[in-house]
Amino acid sequence: MRFLNHRCTRSMAAVAQPRRRQEEQEAVAPSSSVLRVVCTAALLLATHLGAQSLPAKSAALRPPGSKKWVEQTLRRMSLREKLGQLFFYYLDTDFKPADDPELQAIVRLVTQHHVGGLHLWRGEPYATAHLTNRLQALSKLPLLFTADLENGMARFRGTEFPTNMAIAATGNVEMAYAMGRHTALEARALGIGLTFAPVVDINSNPENPIINVRAFGEEPETVARFAEAFLQGCRQEGLLTTAKHFPGHGDTRQDSHIELALIEADSARLEQLELVPFRRAIAAGVDFVMTAHVNVRGLNMNPYTPATLSPEILTRLLRERLHFDGVIITDAMHMWAITRSYTEAYATVAALNAGADVILAQENIPERIADLERRVRAGELAEARIDQSVRRILLAKTRIGLPQQRRVEPAAVGRLLQRPEALQAAEQAAAQSLTLLKNEGGLLPLAAGKRVVVVNLWDEPRGFNRTPLLRELERFVQPAAVVSLHPNSTARELERALAAVRAAQIQVLPVYAAIGSWKGHIGLPPVMQPMVDSLLATGVPAAVISMGNPYVYPQVQRAAAYLVAYDDGNRMSQAAARAVAGAAAIGGRLPITIPGFFTRGAGISIAARDAKARDESAALAPTLRMAFPEEAGMSRAGLDSVRALMQQAVRDSVFPGAVLLVARHGKIALHEAFGTLGYGAFNRPTPLHAIYDIASLTKVVGLTTACMLLYERGRLKLDEKVQTYLPEFTGKDKDKVTVRHLLTHCSGLVAFRLYYRDYQTAEAIVNTILREELEYPTGSKTVYSDLGAILLGKIVERLAGKPLDEFCRAEIFAPLHLTDTFYNPPAALRPRIAPTEFDSWTEGRKGDFAHGIVHDENAWRLGGVSGHAGLFSSSRDLAVFLQMLLNGGSFGEVKLLQPETIALFTSRQEVVPGSSRALGWDTADGENSAGTLMSRKAYGHTGFTGTSLWTDPERGLIVVLLSNRVHPTRENRRILPFRARLHDAVVRAITP
């Protein structure tokens, strides 16, 4: 069999969007602001995993060897030590102080009662490695650490794979092999030696409340093939495996966590169905078999006994008929299927008598050991029987080299978890598993320009709307509304959802009704059926996405489209969103039957809407990396001249200090800090990650980018009248002003006014601007105007339905991981923030320097958030933002904008003949701050405080200059000629 070849990928962050302003006009304006956009994203590429990268002895499973060690060890063990090996307790690896009672109890189980292993629920990876090492050091005999890793290492912040049913839906057994292999590599890195996987149950009962998508499917051969591939992947990298739940938990209607499950099957049916994958797993060398707390009426002598306590099932069937000589481990003994009908003492003895070797998750282990010891001494249990189990347990431990090497290397954890090839394998599995079963009228993928509403349907009360699916979907479609309904939703909430749906053209209904332990039911609860029916009765076409339970279809059968996503994790959610939007193909096939509706193998294939765009989006866009000047095609001597200019500028008091970043073709050739943060109390060296008030750069980084996003979503039209969005914008000839006029600074509005002196509230200022008369005929000349930017900010807020800062943070800064870019920066960052002017105007801060508070007075009165000013940012963030624009809207794996949108907004508009203005941006014209050498395609902006951004697409060049030239006073205008000299020097440093 040929298995997956994994290609390395990288996961990187993304960038934001641009804006800017002419410095000559800033020099006379009293305020400005900048949106900061910087992305610090770099995923360490894992080195090829050689033997030195793995915990010692973890390469591949050894054959059952080291029998000499096993027998010697067994002879030295006391009866109590042997009995301790039969018990595996459970814990999480979250931090616990040394005197934590739970941790102390675990230590006693290890040191005094010699338990054979510990089952780990979850934990932070480094903490897990530390704890397994610590407990191994305390234990007389090597411990076997186990975990439920059915879908990879997500419980320990490793790679999360889709569910088994999703893997089978791809039709590719190599996916199962890859899941096993990558899971094993990550598990062994943390000291985990045994996974309770694969699930080999056959989900032949659609009403099964606990197996469902945990199974590979309903057909024995399919389950067997995929389970075998998973086993081989685990074995390849040295992880012990468990086939569960014997003799099969797929044909039940009960959750054994809650009650004893029943299987109405005789021996002949078991041979044809349930036992097929178990036989294959045993032949493939599975190490453990886990019992099921199910009653199989056709096999048990006692009609009330679960398989876990049944000699007919564990000994006669599993040991004697199936010839399994590995370790039999019970399912957790604290589940109600056991505790409701049996005492701990009885259940423990009965499980051992039935043939179990390991008792999992039994409470009160010291008491159970003492009780078993008494029974052995009394002749009720044979010590030879105990020796059989201990011998099997010790042999399993030798297969992963525990007698020779118990410790793992914590330093390797960062290299071995979430490696690029593992992430890629998981992403491929999720994308290829999506199964489209119904698509009336070609509803999917969603048509562009349609008004879409998303209604999340939860099977349990939930208080949030912003799911991983929604976050990804919003990259392609901006929903008109997002609401949620759940069992406790009120009539008023339902009516609100219905109103949103009636106002839309398409409704997308993600259904969150995944199976889970202790739920005891499957699908949406009956109380929700009237809600679902009401939504589907509106007549608005519905696309339902089942997030983790394909069998929910009968409850939503009136939907026009039905897409199966086999879990609701981040990776599957993102894949589903891309498929719904048409950015990815759909081709999965249903591994089960939905009775009365769809047969096994059903599925509609749909190609991505634009194959070329899909291939481009799959490739990682260039990011930013430090490089030598020659790697960026720049001269060391030329950059030395740039440094000299910056140093001289500090000496000439052009600014007290600054940070300069120069990059070309994604390679940072120069990134240095100069001078000091300020004078007086601020007289300390400028840090490289200094944060500056970027003033009017806010216009391009924040405002213009927000406009670009809304333009792409069809919500903002460039040639639409401003009055359409702001009806209050009234006055003579103001009906002629369009959004394009505001973006190109030719609307007729005055450049600025000192509103902060006369008005005390943001509302009063905005209302005054809305009533301002035009100063000149619209489109007749260019007058750089803060007023137009303030109004554009209000348009963005109305279209987005949220404040400008929230929209920018969610849609620009967060996706690009611009962690230093924000309005109203937190006080904790002030040591990195450069001060601006001595404040003589603002209430509450007169007589001190503006520091961490927006320098622009009007922006300050507007609450620090405005379209024209208010942003703070760092050089790295802004460089990421510019690189995203140069990349055509992408940075790493993040796709923010379309190339056509960027080309439109950064091209000279010439609404006014001779103007250098683009949409929001300025362009190089040989006379402004760009200097004389940048190409005509260069675009950028400046900020009143002494900041600027320029990029030249023809040269792949980025220049970010952040300074606080207004410290201590705005009267310092030496920066005006300096910027042009600086940019010319940078261009001259480019080698031919």
Side-chain angles (χ1 to χ4, degrees):
M1 189 183 307
R2 183 182 60 83
F3 291 107
L4 219 55
N5 261 334
H6 300 291
R7 295 179 295 124
C8 287
T9 60
R10 294 185 185 182
S11 177
M12 302 296 288
V15 193
Q17 295 102 316
R19 294 193 199 159
R20 70 174 237 261
R21 164 189 203 171
Q22 243 169 257
E23 68 207 297
E24 292 84 355
Q25 293 164 331
E26 288 173 353
V28 297
S31 71
S32 64
S33 74
V34 156
L35 231 195
R36 104 173 159 8
V37 187
V38 172
C39 171
T40 53
L43 182 67
L44 292 176
L45 287 178
T47 56
H48 179 68
L49 296 172
Q52 71 280 8
S53 302
L54 295 173
K57 311 296 184 185
S58 69
L61 288 183
R62 303 172 175 185
S66 304
K67 291 186 178 180
K68 181 178 179 181
W69 175 86
V70 171
E71 296 303 327
Q72 289 175 342
T73 302
L74 193 59
R75 285 195 296 270
R76 291 195 298 266
M77 295 172 70
S78 68
L79 176 58
R80 288 187 66 88
E81 288 173 342
K82 294 176 184 178
L83 294 171
Q85 289 295 297
L86 307 182
F87 292 91
F88 285 16
Y89 198 59
Y90 59 91
L91 73 158
D92 61 59
T93 64
D94 295 339
F95 169 76
K96 298 173 183 63
D99 59 352
D100 178 76
E102 180 185 356
L103 180 59
Q104 290 302 311
I106 296 296
V107 169
R108 287 193 295 273
L109 287 177
V110 170
T111 58
Q112 298 176 24
H113 303 290
H114 311 288
V115 292
L118 290 166
H119 181 60
L120 308 180
W121 287 115
R122 66 180 185 278
E124 191 278 332
Y126 286 101
T128 302
H130 172 78
L131 185 63
T132 58
N133 280 343
R134 179 184 175 190
L135 293 176
Q136 289 284 21
L138 292 174
S139 180
K140 180 178 179 180
L141 291 170
L143 291 164
L144 182 58
F145 289 99
T146 74
D148 274 310
L149 307 178
E150 295 177 17
N151 311 120
M153 283 283 287
R155 290 172 183 254
F156 300 91
R157 302 188 190 179
T159 303
E160 179 181 14
F161 278 84
T163 59
N164 284 346
M165 194 172 286
I167 298 294
T170 69
N172 185 356
V173 293
E174 294 182 350
M175 294 295 180
Y177 173 83
M179 178 168 67
R181 175 176 170 268
H182 291 300
T183 298
L185 277 168
E186 296 185 355
R188 299 295 285 122
L190 304 188
I192 297 170
L194 168 65
T195 175
F196 291 155
V199 172
V200 297
D201 300 312
I202 296 170
N203 202 74
S204 54
N205 190 333
E207 297 180 25
N208 193 313
I210 194 60
I211 301 301
N212 199 284
V213 293
R214 297 169 65 196
F216 286 110
E218 67 179 14
E219 192 272 322
E221 181 59 27
T222 298
V223 174
R225 286 191 303 110
F226 279 88
E228 183 181 20
F230 177 85
L231 290 169
Q232 292 186 18
C234 290
R235 175 175 293 104
Q236 177 67 30
E237 303 299 344
L239 183 67
L240 298 172
T241 52
T242 307
K244 65 182 186 184
H245 307 81
F246 189 81
H249 205 319
D251 188 17
T252 68
R253 287 180 172 84
Q254 300 86 21
D255 177 3
S256 54
H257 293 83
I258 301 173
E259 57 186 320
L260 180 63
L262 174 65
I263 293 181
E264 297 281 3
D266 57 17
S267 181
R269 211 291 293 276
L270 286 171
E271 283 290 345
Q272 295 172 359
L273 194 69
E274 281 86 356
L275 296 184
V276 172
F278 281 103
R279 284 187 181 276
R280 184 78 67 84
I282 291 169
V286 72
D287 306 283
F288 282 60
V289 169
M290 178 177 284
T291 70
H293 299 329
V294 299
N295 180 267
V296 186
R297 292 284 168 86
L299 292 182
N300 280 336
M301 296 292 290
N302 185 331
Y304 306 106
T305 302
T308 299
L309 309 184
S310 170
E312 293 87 1
I313 293 176
L314 299 193
T315 297
R316 293 174 194 163
L317 177 57
L318 182 55
R319 288 283 186 218
E320 297 173 5
R321 282 176 51 189
L322 300 188
H323 306 292
F324 176 65
D325 196 36
V327 180
I328 299 177
I329 185 170
T330 72
D331 206 341
M333 296 292 278
H334 56 38
M335 291 161 62
W336 289 359
I338 299 295
T339 60
R340 279 187 171 184
S341 301
Y342 305 93
T343 65
E344 285 186 4
Y346 186 95
T348 300
V349 173
L352 292 173
N353 281 332
D357 300 304
V358 175
I359 308 298
L360 176 63
Q362 183 62 283
E363 305 293 344
N364 305 308
I365 289 177
E367 290 88 340
R368 299 286 66 75
I369 291 175
D371 179 66
L372 290 175
E373 184 180 28
R374 181 182 62 77
R375 294 178 187 279
V376 172
R377 302 295 185 199
E380 296 179 30
L381 275 174
E383 187 168 357
R385 165 67 188 88
I386 303 301
D387 287 351
Q388 286 180 337
S389 291
V390 175
R391 185 175 285 109
R392 293 188 185 105
I393 295 166
L394 295 179
L395 275 172
K397 293 178 180 181
T398 68
R399 299 198 69 195
I400 53 175
L402 282 178
Q404 295 79 28
Q405 179 68 38
R406 304 189 198 181
R407 176 181 171 79
V408 296
E409 180 50 62
V413 170
R415 299 198 307 273
L416 298 178
L417 265 66
Q418 294 196 32
R419 291 163 299 112
E421 57 266 40
L423 296 174
Q424 184 186 30
E427 288 164 4
Q428 286 178 337
Q432 293 177 25
S433 72
L434 292 168
T435 307
L436 184 62
L437 297 176
K438 185 179 183 181
N439 197 29
E440 292 178 354
L443 185 61
L444 295 181
L446 299 175
K450 295 287 187 179
R451 185 177 175 85
V452 176
V453 63
V454 176
V455 182
N456 296 312
L457 299 174
W458 301 94
D459 67 342
E460 295 180 325
R462 297 294 179 100
F464 63 95
N465 292 336
R466 196 157 176 76
T467 62
L469 182 140
L470 179 64
R471 287 197 297 269
E472 183 70 9
L473 186 63
E474 286 179 336
R475 292 181 54 211
F476 309 97
V477 178
Q478 184 60 40
V482 180
V483 293
S484 285
L485 295 174
H486 51 76
N488 292 353
S489 292
T490 64
R492 189 171 186 176
E493 289 172 326
L494 174 59
E495 188 50 47
R496 189 180 304 126
L498 291 171
V501 169
R502 292 187 189 105
Q505 295 169 290
I506 299 173
Q507 54 178 322
V508 175
L509 307 179
V511 178
Y512 294 90
I515 54 100
S517 302
W518 313 100
K519 274 188 175 182
H521 68 265
I522 185 170
L524 292 170
V527 70
M528 292 197 68
Q529 193 62 55
M531 302 182 197
V532 175
D533 293 342
S534 297
L535 293 170
L536 299 179
T538 59
V540 176
V544 170
I545 311 170
S546 70
M547 303 301 298
N549 181 4
Y551 298 102
V552 80
Y553 178 76
Q555 295 184 278
V556 295
Q557 59 184 284
R558 293 167 60 191
Y562 185 66
L563 178 70
V564 177
Y566 295 90
D567 64 66
D568 59 2
N570 287 341
R571 191 160 284 112
M572 185 66 78
S573 296
Q574 291 166 0
R578 290 180 57 80
V580 166
I586 303 174
R589 292 294 180 267
L590 194 64
I592 47 92
T593 297
I594 302 179
F597 299 101
F598 303 104
T599 58
R600 186 174 67 252
I604 301 169
S605 295
I606 294 182
R609 180 175 284 127
D610 184 345
K612 180 175 182 293
R614 183 189 69 235
D615 293 341
E616 289 175 352
S617 67
L620 296 179
T623 55
L624 285 169
R625 296 179 293 167
M626 289 299 303
F628 292 114
E630 56 269 24
E631 293 180 288
M634 302 193 78
S635 157
R636 288 177 181 265
L639 291 178
D640 284 341
S641 298
V642 173
R643 288 188 184 89
L645 267 178
M646 293 293 295
Q647 292 161 353
Q648 186 62 45
V650 172
R651 290 193 291 271
D652 292 344
S653 298
V654 174
F655 35 67
V659 179
L660 177 67
L661 188 150
V662 177
R664 191 159 181 252
H665 301 314
K667 299 179 179 66
I668 301 173
L670 187 154
H671 188 200
E672 293 184 21
F674 301 87
T676 62
L677 268 180
Y679 302 118
F682 301 98
N683 186 17
R684 56 183 181 274
T686 304
L688 192 63
H689 64 333
I691 294 172
Y692 286 83
D693 179 338
I694 60 172
S696 284
L697 296 187
T698 300
K699 292 183 174 73
V700 289
V701 177
L703 177 65
T704 300
T705 306
C707 290
M708 295 163 88
L709 289 169
L710 293 172
Y711 167 80
E712 285 189 351
R713 296 167 187 175
R715 306 187 71 181
L716 180 69
K717 301 186 186 310
L718 297 178
D719 295 313
E720 188 66 68
K721 296 176 181 178
V722 172
Q723 288 180 348
T724 300
Y725 304 113
L726 299 173
E728 312 95 312
F729 185 65
T730 56
K732 183 181 179 182
D733 293 332
K734 292 170 83 170
D735 59 335
K736 300 176 182 178
V737 181
T738 66
V739 170
R740 191 185 299 271
H741 290 132
L742 295 184
L743 284 167
T744 53
H745 298 280
C746 63
S747 65
L749 288 169
V750 67
F752 65 90
R753 296 194 190 281
L754 305 180
Y755 296 110
Y756 73 96
R757 291 180 176 174
D758 302 320
Y759 302 98
Q760 300 301 307
T761 67
E763 182 180 13
I765 291 177
V766 173
N767 288 338
T768 301
I769 296 174
L770 288 167
R771 296 192 302 267
E772 287 279 0
E773 294 299 324
L774 300 183
E775 188 180 50
Y776 59 90
T778 300
S780 63
K781 63 179 179 178
T782 299
V783 175
Y784 182 83
S785 174
D786 281 353
L787 277 65
I790 293 171
L791 293 181
L792 274 172
K794 294 303 170 184
I795 291 175
V796 168
E797 291 184 339
R798 291 198 179 179
L799 293 178
K802 61 180 69 173
L804 179 63
D805 57 335
E806 291 184 17
F807 182 81
C808 291
R809 181 173 62 249
E811 303 290 343
I812 305 169
F813 310 149
L816 294 174
H817 300 281
L818 304 183
T819 55
D820 291 337
T821 305
F822 24 59
Y823 291 94
N824 294 318
L829 291 178
R830 286 192 179 178
R832 291 168 53 194
I833 298 176
T836 53
E837 194 170 11
F838 190 80
D839 188 347
S840 60
W841 63 86
T842 307
E843 300 94 328
R845 61 175 190 169
K846 287 183 179 179
D848 198 357
F849 287 100
H851 183 216
I853 298 171
V854 61
H855 175 265
D856 183 285
E857 301 94 330
N858 285 338
W860 169 78
R861 186 68 81 186
L862 289 166
V865 179
S866 179
H868 77 290
L871 278 177
F872 288 71
S873 192
S874 64
S875 57
R876 184 84 183 192
D877 269 16
L878 295 173
V880 168
F881 172 73
L882 290 180
Q883 186 64 48
M884 176 273 296
L885 295 175
L886 281 181
N887 293 346
S890 300
F891 188 88
E893 292 181 339
V894 176
K895 178 69 175 177
L896 198 68
L897 293 165
Q898 296 300 320
E900 299 80 7
T901 305
I902 296 171
L904 171 63
F905 274 72
T906 59
S907 298
R908 188 172 298 189
Q909 294 295 293
E910 296 188 353
V911 177
V912 176
S915 173
S916 63
R917 288 288 163 185
L919 293 171
W921 291 88
D922 199 4
T923 62
D925 65 357
E927 298 180 0
N928 55 18
S929 65
T932 62
L933 301 179
M934 285 197 181
S935 75
R936 292 274 293 181
K937 291 187 177 180
Y939 55 90
H941 212 284
T942 57
F944 184 73
T945 50
T947 58
S948 63
L949 303 174
W950 279 98
T951 182
D952 190 340
E954 285 192 359
R955 296 183 171 95
L957 179 67
I958 287 171
V959 185
V960 177
L961 172 65
L962 299 182
S963 81
N964 52 340
R965 68 96 188 170
V966 294
H967 180 76
T969 172
R970 71 185 64 191
E971 299 305 319
N972 174 18
R973 301 183 183 179
R974 297 183 182 93
I975 199 168
L976 296 182
F978 172 78
R979 283 176 174 143
R981 291 201 305 273
L982 173 71
H983 292 120
D984 281 348
V986 169
V987 175
R988 290 191 188 99
I990 296 173
T991 54

